[in-house]
Amino acid sequence: MNIIYEDNHLLVVEKPVNVPMQEDSSKDKDLLTMAKEYIKEKYHKPGDVYLGLVHRLDRPVGGVCVFARTSKAASRLSKQVSDHSLKKTYLAVVEDNNLEDSGHFEDYLLKDTKTNTVKVDPKGKLAVLDYEVLKRKDNLALVKVNLKTGRSHQIRVQFSSRNHPLWGDQRYNRNAIKGQQIALHAYMLEFEHPTTKEKMSFVSDIDSYPFNI
């Protein structure tokens, strides 16, 4: 776990791929526990450490994320998430298939909790994103995605439903080869500091294949 920034109110970290955000049925080591252990050890905190989970990344997805170190910070950051002033930018590699240079997607997404899959359905919740193509090669396109809403599996489903599934997406891309890592990365977070009101921006760069197509 790479620490990007920390102060008395925030802990911004780089989530490794294939690590759950919090404890799940797999019982694998999760990011929230790792972050709490880091705070406890560094600052010699007795007892339980408070750390608020503000937003989530899918287990196979790596990149930048923020935790709140106080309940007040958690409340204020959560409000920014709900009113969409906390901005999340992702990098993804998708199957090109004549993808337009930029676009705006709006869909209603419905989650099946039994199978942990999501589909486009008018009974679902509104999902909105904007994207622009940064590079193309061999029927792959590197896109920058500005997420306007934070629905489960949103980027993966909105692109795959338009015949542009993400490279290596084992769940929504029928062409994915078993063992491939999904090409989705939480590239940048922008938000207002919960106490100082300072505009903050944090980036998690990536240059590994297939992001460097």
Side-chain angles (χ1 to χ4, degrees), residues 96 136-140 209:
D96 194 334
R136 301 178 194 265
K137 184 179 180 182
D138 300 333
N139 198 42
L140 293 177
Y209 185 82

Side-chain angles (χ1 to χ4, degrees), residues 5 9 11 19-20 22 42 50-51 56 58 92 113 120 125-127 139 144 162-163 165 167 179 181 189 193 199:
Y5 173 85
H9 311 277
L11 180 66
V19 171
Q22 62 185 136
K42 180 172 181 178
Y50 176 85
L51 208 56
R56 302 169 190 273
D58 291 347
T113 54
V120 176
K125 294 180 179 180
L126 179 64
N139 198 42
K144 182 170 74 172
R162 290 168 170 82
N163 195 32
W167 189 93
Q181 177 62 41
L189 267 185
H193 192 283
K199 295 292 185 182

Side-chain angles (χ1 to χ4, degrees), residues 53-95:
L53 190 65
V54 177
H55 64 114
R56 302 169 190 273
L57 297 176
D58 291 347
R59 177 173 180 144
V61 178
V64 63
C65 61
V66 59
F67 293 103
R69 292 191 56 193
T70 67
S71 57
K72 180 182 287 187
S75 175
R76 291 177 177 176
L77 287 172
S78 294
K79 184 178 185 303
Q80 292 183 54
V81 172
S82 63
D83 66 19
H84 312 305
S85 59
L86 185 147
K87 296 180 180 179
K88 294 175 279 188
T89 303
Y90 289 77
L91 294 178
V93 177
V94 304
E95 293 188 7

Side-chain angles (χ1 to χ4, degrees), residues 2-197:
N2 180 35
I3 307 299
I4 298 175
Y5 173 85
E6 64 180 298
D7 62 21
N8 291 333
H9 311 277
L10 304 173
L11 180 66
V12 182
V13 306
E14 194 168 46
K15 175 186 174 295
V17 299
N18 295 322
V19 171
M21 284 294 294
Q22 62 185 136
E23 185 177 338
D24 60 17
S25 58
S26 71
K27 302 301 180 184
D28 292 338
K29 194 68 171 286
D30 63 278
L31 192 67
L32 181 60
T33 298
M34 292 163 63
K36 284 184 175 181
E37 289 176 351
Y38 165 78
I39 294 291
K40 186 179 181 68
E41 182 177 336
K42 180 172 181 178
Y43 298 102
H44 309 291
K45 294 276 189 180
D48 292 337
V49 171
Y50 176 85
L51 208 56
L53 190 65
V54 177
H55 64 114
R56 302 169 190 273
L57 297 176
D58 291 347
R59 177 173 180 144
V61 178
V64 63
C65 61
V66 59
F67 293 103
R69 292 191 56 193
T70 67
S71 57
K72 180 182 287 187
S75 175
R76 291 177 177 176
L77 287 172
S78 294
K79 184 178 185 303
Q80 292 183 54
V81 172
S82 63
D83 66 19
H84 312 305
S85 59
L86 185 147
K87 296 180 180 179
K88 294 175 279 188
T89 303
Y90 289 77
L91 294 178
V93 177
V94 304
E95 293 188 7
D96 194 334
N97 299 329
N98 299 311
L99 178 68
E100 293 186 2
D101 289 341
S102 61
H104 175 82
F105 293 168
E106 288 192 17
D107 297 289
Y108 289 89
L109 302 184
L110 186 65
K111 183 173 184 177
D112 184 336
T113 54
K114 292 181 180 179
T115 61
N116 194 31
T117 56
V118 177
K119 64 179 179 179
V120 176
D121 190 300
K123 297 177 183 177
K125 294 180 179 180
L126 179 64
V128 183
L129 65 78
D130 294 323
Y131 78 87
E132 64 173 306
V133 175
L134 302 179
K135 197 183 297 184
R136 301 178 194 265
K137 184 179 180 182
D138 300 333
N139 198 42
L140 293 177
L142 173 65
V143 296
K144 182 170 74 172
V145 180
N146 293 314
L147 207 57
K148 305 298 184 180
T149 54
R151 307 303 178 200
S152 181
H153 298 183
Q154 178 179 336
I155 296 171
R156 301 161 68 180
V157 174
Q158 288 194 278
F159 276 94
S160 67
S161 68
R162 290 168 170 82
N163 195 32
H164 307 292
L166 272 66
W167 189 93
D169 189 346
Q170 304 293 323
R171 190 159 304 205
Y172 300 105
N173 186 351
R174 73 182 93 185
N175 298 322
I177 298 171
K178 188 175 181 179
Q180 279 182 335
Q181 177 62 41
I182 187 172
L184 180 61
H185 186 73
Y187 171 65
M188 183 165 61
L189 267 185
E190 299 170 275
F191 55 86
E192 184 181 89
H193 192 283
T195 58
T196 68
K197 308 302 181 184

